[in-house]
PDB file of all heavy atoms in Angstrom:
ATOM      1  N   VAL A 269    -228.171 -74.731 166.945  1.00  0.00           N
ATOM      2  CA  VAL A 269    -227.405 -75.024 168.160  1.00  0.00           C
ATOM      3  C   VAL A 269    -228.328 -75.564 169.242  1.00  0.00           C
ATOM      4  O   VAL A 269    -228.018 -76.558 169.918  1.00  0.00           O
ATOM      5  CB  VAL A 269    -226.672 -73.758 168.667  1.00  0.00           C
ATOM      6  CG1 VAL A 269    -225.991 -74.034 170.006  1.00  0.00           C
ATOM      7  CG2 VAL A 269    -225.646 -73.284 167.645  1.00  0.00           C
ATOM      8  N   VAL A 270    -229.481 -74.929 169.403  1.00  0.00           N
ATOM      9  CA  VAL A 270    -230.450 -75.362 170.418  1.00  0.00           C
ATOM     10  C   VAL A 270    -230.912 -76.794 170.144  1.00  0.00           C
ATOM     11  O   VAL A 270    -231.023 -77.616 171.071  1.00  0.00           O
ATOM     12  CB  VAL A 270    -231.649 -74.396 170.467  1.00  0.00           C
ATOM     13  CG1 VAL A 270    -232.780 -74.971 171.321  1.00  0.00           C
ATOM     14  CG2 VAL A 270    -231.216 -73.039 171.013  1.00  0.00           C
ATOM     15  N   ARG A 271    -231.175 -77.101 168.888  1.00  0.00           N
ATOM     16  CA  ARG A 271    -231.617 -78.458 168.544  1.00  0.00           C
ATOM     17  C   ARG A 271    -230.554 -79.494 168.938  1.00  0.00           C
ATOM     18  O   ARG A 271    -230.872 -80.579 169.438  1.00  0.00           O
ATOM     19  CB  ARG A 271    -231.924 -78.541 167.052  1.00  0.00           C
ATOM     20  CG  ARG A 271    -233.195 -77.788 166.651  1.00  0.00           C
ATOM     21  CD  ARG A 271    -233.373 -77.709 165.148  1.00  0.00           C
ATOM     22  NE  ARG A 271    -233.521 -79.042 164.533  1.00  0.00           N
ATOM     23  CZ  ARG A 271    -233.681 -79.227 163.224  1.00  0.00           C
ATOM     24  NH1 ARG A 271    -233.703 -78.173 162.403  1.00  0.00           N
ATOM     25  NH2 ARG A 271    -233.821 -80.443 162.739  1.00  0.00           N
ATOM     26  N   ILE A 272    -229.302 -79.142 168.727  1.00  0.00           N
ATOM     27  CA  ILE A 272    -228.218 -80.067 169.092  1.00  0.00           C
ATOM     28  C   ILE A 272    -228.100 -80.183 170.614  1.00  0.00           C
ATOM     29  O   ILE A 272    -227.931 -81.284 171.150  1.00  0.00           O
ATOM     30  CB  ILE A 272    -226.889 -79.591 168.472  1.00  0.00           C
ATOM     31  CG1 ILE A 272    -226.967 -79.706 166.943  1.00  0.00           C
ATOM     32  CG2 ILE A 272    -225.713 -80.403 169.013  1.00  0.00           C
ATOM     33  CD1 ILE A 272    -225.827 -79.040 166.215  1.00  0.00           C
ATOM     34  N   LEU A 273    -228.201 -79.059 171.317  1.00  0.00           N
ATOM     35  CA  LEU A 273    -228.128 -79.092 172.783  1.00  0.00           C
ATOM     36  C   LEU A 273    -229.251 -79.939 173.378  1.00  0.00           C
ATOM     37  O   LEU A 273    -229.093 -80.523 174.458  1.00  0.00           O
ATOM     38  CB  LEU A 273    -228.193 -77.670 173.349  1.00  0.00           C
ATOM     39  CG  LEU A 273    -226.999 -76.751 173.045  1.00  0.00           C
ATOM     40  CD1 LEU A 273    -227.222 -75.379 173.663  1.00  0.00           C
ATOM     41  CD2 LEU A 273    -225.693 -77.361 173.554  1.00  0.00           C
ATOM     42  N   LYS A 274    -230.361 -80.015 172.652  1.00  0.00           N
ATOM     43  CA  LYS A 274    -231.500 -80.794 173.147  1.00  0.00           C
ATOM     44  C   LYS A 274    -231.455 -82.257 172.695  1.00  0.00           C
ATOM     45  O   LYS A 274    -232.385 -83.013 172.958  1.00  0.00           O
ATOM     46  CB  LYS A 274    -232.800 -80.138 172.697  1.00  0.00           C
ATOM     47  CG  LYS A 274    -233.071 -78.819 173.416  1.00  0.00           C
ATOM     48  CD  LYS A 274    -234.409 -78.230 173.025  1.00  0.00           C
ATOM     49  CE  LYS A 274    -234.709 -76.961 173.831  1.00  0.00           C
ATOM     50  NZ  LYS A 274    -236.017 -76.356 173.469  1.00  0.00           N
ATOM     51  N   GLY A 275    -230.365 -82.619 172.009  1.00  0.00           N
ATOM     52  CA  GLY A 275    -230.182 -84.038 171.727  1.00  0.00           C
ATOM     53  C   GLY A 275    -230.112 -84.457 170.276  1.00  0.00           C
ATOM     54  O   GLY A 275    -229.768 -85.602 169.976  1.00  0.00           O
ATOM     55  N   GLU A 276    -230.443 -83.574 169.325  1.00  0.00           N
ATOM     56  CA  GLU A 276    -230.366 -83.967 167.913  1.00  0.00           C
ATOM     57  C   GLU A 276    -228.907 -84.069 167.455  1.00  0.00           C
ATOM     58  O   GLU A 276    -228.036 -83.332 167.927  1.00  0.00           O
ATOM     59  CB  GLU A 276    -231.109 -82.961 167.033  1.00  0.00           C
ATOM     60  CG  GLU A 276    -232.626 -83.035 167.143  1.00  0.00           C
ATOM     61  CD  GLU A 276    -233.308 -82.194 166.070  1.00  0.00           C
ATOM     62  OE1 GLU A 276    -233.041 -82.432 164.878  1.00  0.00           O
ATOM     63  OE2 GLU A 276    -234.107 -81.314 166.439  1.00  0.00           O
ATOM     64  N   LYS A 277    -228.647 -84.960 166.532  1.00  0.00           N
ATOM     65  CA  LYS A 277    -227.320 -85.102 165.953  1.00  0.00           C
ATOM     66  C   LYS A 277    -227.160 -84.104 164.808  1.00  0.00           C
ATOM     67  O   LYS A 277    -228.054 -83.962 163.969  1.00  0.00           O
ATOM     68  CB  LYS A 277    -227.119 -86.524 165.415  1.00  0.00           C
ATOM     69  CG  LYS A 277    -227.260 -87.614 166.467  1.00  0.00           C
ATOM     70  CD  LYS A 277    -226.161 -87.525 167.509  1.00  0.00           C
ATOM     71  CE  LYS A 277    -226.251 -88.696 168.490  1.00  0.00           C
ATOM     72  NZ  LYS A 277    -225.228 -88.600 169.566  1.00  0.00           N
ATOM     73  N   PRO A 278    -226.025 -83.409 164.749  1.00  0.00           N
ATOM     74  CA  PRO A 278    -225.838 -82.440 163.660  1.00  0.00           C
ATOM     75  C   PRO A 278    -225.945 -83.072 162.280  1.00  0.00           C
ATOM     76  O   PRO A 278    -226.427 -82.446 161.335  1.00  0.00           O
ATOM     77  CB  PRO A 278    -224.430 -81.888 163.918  1.00  0.00           C
ATOM     78  CG  PRO A 278    -223.775 -82.882 164.811  1.00  0.00           C
ATOM     79  CD  PRO A 278    -224.862 -83.481 165.631  1.00  0.00           C
ATOM     80  N   GLY A 279    -225.504 -84.329 162.182  1.00  0.00           N
ATOM     81  CA  GLY A 279    -225.541 -85.004 160.890  1.00  0.00           C
ATOM     82  C   GLY A 279    -226.930 -85.304 160.387  1.00  0.00           C
ATOM     83  O   GLY A 279    -227.108 -85.630 159.206  1.00  0.00           O
ATOM     84  N   SER A 280    -227.935 -85.190 161.259  1.00  0.00           N
ATOM     85  CA  SER A 280    -229.322 -85.425 160.844  1.00  0.00           C
ATOM     86  C   SER A 280    -230.068 -84.122 160.576  1.00  0.00           C
ATOM     87  O   SER A 280    -231.237 -84.144 160.188  1.00  0.00           O
ATOM     88  CB  SER A 280    -230.062 -86.220 161.927  1.00  0.00           C
ATOM     89  OG  SER A 280    -230.198 -85.444 163.116  1.00  0.00           O
ATOM     90  N   ILE A 281    -229.398 -82.992 160.758  1.00  0.00           N
ATOM     91  CA  ILE A 281    -230.031 -81.674 160.578  1.00  0.00           C
ATOM     92  C   ILE A 281    -229.662 -81.117 159.207  1.00  0.00           C
ATOM     93  O   ILE A 281    -228.484 -80.970 158.883  1.00  0.00           O
ATOM     94  CB  ILE A 281    -229.603 -80.696 161.681  1.00  0.00           C
ATOM     95  CG1 ILE A 281    -230.031 -81.222 163.063  1.00  0.00           C
ATOM     96  CG2 ILE A 281    -230.203 -79.311 161.440  1.00  0.00           C
ATOM     97  CD1 ILE A 281    -229.543 -80.380 164.227  1.00  0.00           C
ATOM     98  N   THR A 282    -230.648 -80.797 158.408  1.00  0.00           N
ATOM     99  CA  THR A 282    -230.414 -80.263 157.067  1.00  0.00           C
ATOM    100  C   THR A 282    -229.766 -78.881 157.127  1.00  0.00           C
ATOM    101  O   THR A 282    -230.271 -77.983 157.806  1.00  0.00           O
ATOM    102  CB  THR A 282    -231.740 -80.150 156.296  1.00  0.00           C
ATOM    103  OG1 THR A 282    -232.374 -81.423 156.260  1.00  0.00           O
ATOM    104  CG2 THR A 282    -231.509 -79.661 154.871  1.00  0.00           C
ATOM    105  N   PRO A 283    -228.638 -78.666 156.431  1.00  0.00           N
ATOM    106  CA  PRO A 283    -228.040 -77.326 156.366  1.00  0.00           C
ATOM    107  C   PRO A 283    -229.026 -76.344 155.741  1.00  0.00           C
ATOM    108  O   PRO A 283    -229.817 -76.699 154.866  1.00  0.00           O
ATOM    109  CB  PRO A 283    -226.809 -77.530 155.471  1.00  0.00           C
ATOM    110  CG  PRO A 283    -226.522 -78.996 155.541  1.00  0.00           C
ATOM    111  CD  PRO A 283    -227.854 -79.663 155.700  1.00  0.00           C
ATOM    112  N   GLU A 284    -228.965 -75.093 156.171  1.00  0.00           N
ATOM    113  CA  GLU A 284    -229.930 -74.093 155.738  1.00  0.00           C
ATOM    114  C   GLU A 284    -229.248 -72.912 155.049  1.00  0.00           C
ATOM    115  O   GLU A 284    -228.034 -72.717 155.164  1.00  0.00           O
ATOM    116  CB  GLU A 284    -230.736 -73.590 156.938  1.00  0.00           C
ATOM    117  CG  GLU A 284    -231.526 -74.688 157.648  1.00  0.00           C
ATOM    118  CD  GLU A 284    -232.257 -74.198 158.887  1.00  0.00           C
ATOM    119  OE1 GLU A 284    -232.109 -73.001 159.251  1.00  0.00           O
ATOM    120  OE2 GLU A 284    -232.974 -74.999 159.500  1.00  0.00           O
ATOM    121  N   ILE A 285    -230.064 -72.126 154.367  1.00  0.00           N
ATOM    122  CA  ILE A 285    -229.615 -70.862 153.770  1.00  0.00           C
ATOM    123  C   ILE A 285    -230.400 -69.745 154.425  1.00  0.00           C
ATOM    124  O   ILE A 285    -231.593 -69.888 154.695  1.00  0.00           O
ATOM    125  CB  ILE A 285    -229.838 -70.856 152.245  1.00  0.00           C
ATOM    126  CG1 ILE A 285    -228.971 -71.941 151.585  1.00  0.00           C
ATOM    127  CG2 ILE A 285    -229.501 -69.490 151.645  1.00  0.00           C
ATOM    128  CD1 ILE A 285    -229.210 -72.101 150.097  1.00  0.00           C
ATOM    129  N   GLY A 286    -229.720 -68.629 154.710  1.00  0.00           N
ATOM    130  CA  GLY A 286    -230.391 -67.473 155.297  1.00  0.00           C
ATOM    131  C   GLY A 286    -231.613 -67.081 154.491  1.00  0.00           C
ATOM    132  O   GLY A 286    -231.622 -67.180 153.260  1.00  0.00           O
ATOM    133  N   GLN A 287    -232.619 -66.617 155.170  1.00  0.00           N
ATOM    134  CA  GLN A 287    -233.921 -66.463 154.528  1.00  0.00           C
ATOM    135  C   GLN A 287    -234.254 -65.041 154.078  1.00  0.00           C
ATOM    136  O   GLN A 287    -234.342 -64.764 152.887  1.00  0.00           O
ATOM    137  CB  GLN A 287    -234.993 -67.007 155.485  1.00  0.00           C
ATOM    138  CG  GLN A 287    -234.804 -68.495 155.741  1.00  0.00           C
ATOM    139  CD  GLN A 287    -235.552 -69.002 156.958  1.00  0.00           C
ATOM    140  OE1 GLN A 287    -236.122 -68.232 157.713  1.00  0.00           O
ATOM    141  NE2 GLN A 287    -235.549 -70.298 157.161  1.00  0.00           N
ATOM    142  N   ALA A 288    -234.436 -64.132 154.988  1.00  0.00           N
ATOM    143  CA  ALA A 288    -234.988 -62.816 154.627  1.00  0.00           C
ATOM    144  C   ALA A 288    -233.944 -61.907 153.977  1.00  0.00           C
ATOM    145  O   ALA A 288    -232.856 -61.704 154.515  1.00  0.00           O
ATOM    146  CB  ALA A 288    -235.559 -62.146 155.877  1.00  0.00           C
ATOM    147  N   LEU A 289    -234.278 -61.368 152.800  1.00  0.00           N
ATOM    148  CA  LEU A 289    -233.436 -60.379 152.121  1.00  0.00           C
ATOM    149  C   LEU A 289    -234.058 -58.993 152.271  1.00  0.00           C
ATOM    150  O   LEU A 289    -235.279 -58.842 152.192  1.00  0.00           O
ATOM    151  CB  LEU A 289    -233.291 -60.724 150.639  1.00  0.00           C
ATOM    152  CG  LEU A 289    -232.625 -62.061 150.297  1.00  0.00           C
ATOM    153  CD1 LEU A 289    -232.548 -62.232 148.792  1.00  0.00           C
ATOM    154  CD2 LEU A 289    -231.245 -62.152 150.909  1.00  0.00           C
TER     155      LEU A 289
END
Side-chain angles (χ1 to χ4, degrees):
V269 174
V270 169
R271 289 172 62 180
I272 293 169
L273 293 179
K274 289 184 176 180
E276 287 190 57
K277 300 294 185 183
S280 66
I281 299 175
T282 304
E284 300 177 357
I285 296 175
Q287 297 163 353
L289 298 181

